[in-house]
Amino acid sequence: MRPYEVKVLIHEARRAGVHDRLRMEEALDLLRAELEVGRSTKVELTTRAAWLAFMRFGRQRFATAPTPDSDGLLFQYGTYAFSGRPMFTVDLTRQFDISDADGEHDHYVQVHCELRYECEPALDALGGFDSWFFHDANADLDEWLAAMEGHLELLLARGPSEIDVYEEPV
């Protein structure tokens, strides 16, 4: 008698480890929790602590579609007047591609951590900058993070005047 054969069928998402990943709906709470790690009751959050929190958040993987642009990190800064008065703003963003029932792109959801600073000549002189990293695009996350940290040199020891952490559909 021949022993029966067992065929193991592995769904592509399971092979990629997606079943073990966080849900996108948890992203905002995870970012807030990471920011709390860098804050104590006596000390305000520094730019360095916020950056370290964002790096930890950026290394977490979420259950996203297996496409190169489904899970991205955006680092950008510039002087903007979003809240009425001009402020130098560092925007640390995570963007998720949201698909419809047919698997087609529907919209994006972005989770932001905006660090705002009073304007001063040294910050204004930096102008504006933005850079993307996508998890499934065969790029090196640690290299990208190190390069982005270099842009924060003037701010790492400072505390921002304002911090805004929020989620928005785009």
Side-chain angles (χ1 to χ4, degrees):
M1 180 192 265
R2 195 171 111 204
Y4 64 91
E5 290 182 22
V6 176
K7 288 188 179 182
V8 178
L9 301 175
I10 300 175
H11 185 274
E12 187 65 33
R14 185 177 189 126
R15 185 178 317 138
V18 172
H19 70 289
D20 294 331
R21 294 182 182 176
L22 298 165
R23 295 178 314 120
M24 287 181 279
E25 296 82 8
E26 299 174 276
L28 181 61
D29 289 337
L30 177 61
L31 178 56
R32 286 182 173 148
E34 291 293 352
L35 288 165
E36 286 302 314
V37 170
R39 182 187 315 240
S40 74
T41 56
K42 297 179 183 176
V43 178
E44 289 297 316
L45 190 69
T46 64
T47 302
R48 180 180 309 282
W51 175 243
L52 292 172
F54 185 74
M55 288 194 313
R56 290 188 302 271
F57 173 66
R59 284 187 171 97
Q60 295 290 324
R61 293 306 309 268
F62 290 83
T64 58
T67 59
D69 63 348
S70 65
D71 184 357
L73 302 173
L74 171 62
F75 176 95
Q76 60 186 341
Y77 62 75
T79 300
Y80 308 106
F82 297 134
S83 61
R85 63 188 169 107
M87 297 191 82
F88 185 82
T89 303
V90 175
D91 184 5
L92 309 171
T93 300
R94 183 98 181 232
Q95 177 175 281
F96 300 108
D97 179 29
I98 307 300
S99 301
D100 62 18
D102 297 324
E104 298 295 320
H105 169 75
D106 185 59
H107 66 282
Y108 295 104
V109 169
Q110 292 183 337
V111 176
H112 295 266
C113 176
E114 288 183 0
L115 309 171
R116 299 185 193 121
Y117 307 84
E118 300 300 326
C119 288
E120 62 182 66
L123 295 178
D124 291 340
L126 293 174
F129 176 81
D130 64 83
S131 179
W132 282 96
F133 173 87
F134 289 96
H135 278 285
D136 294 316
N138 297 321
D140 186 280
L141 177 59
D142 289 329
E143 285 180 15
W144 183 81
L145 290 170
M148 296 309 100
E149 186 170 330
H151 288 275
L152 291 172
E153 189 175 326
L154 288 174
L155 298 169
L156 286 174
R158 299 183 192 189
S161 301
E162 299 174 8
I163 299 174
D164 194 8
V165 180
Y166 62 96
E167 180 178 294
E168 69 176 341
V170 291

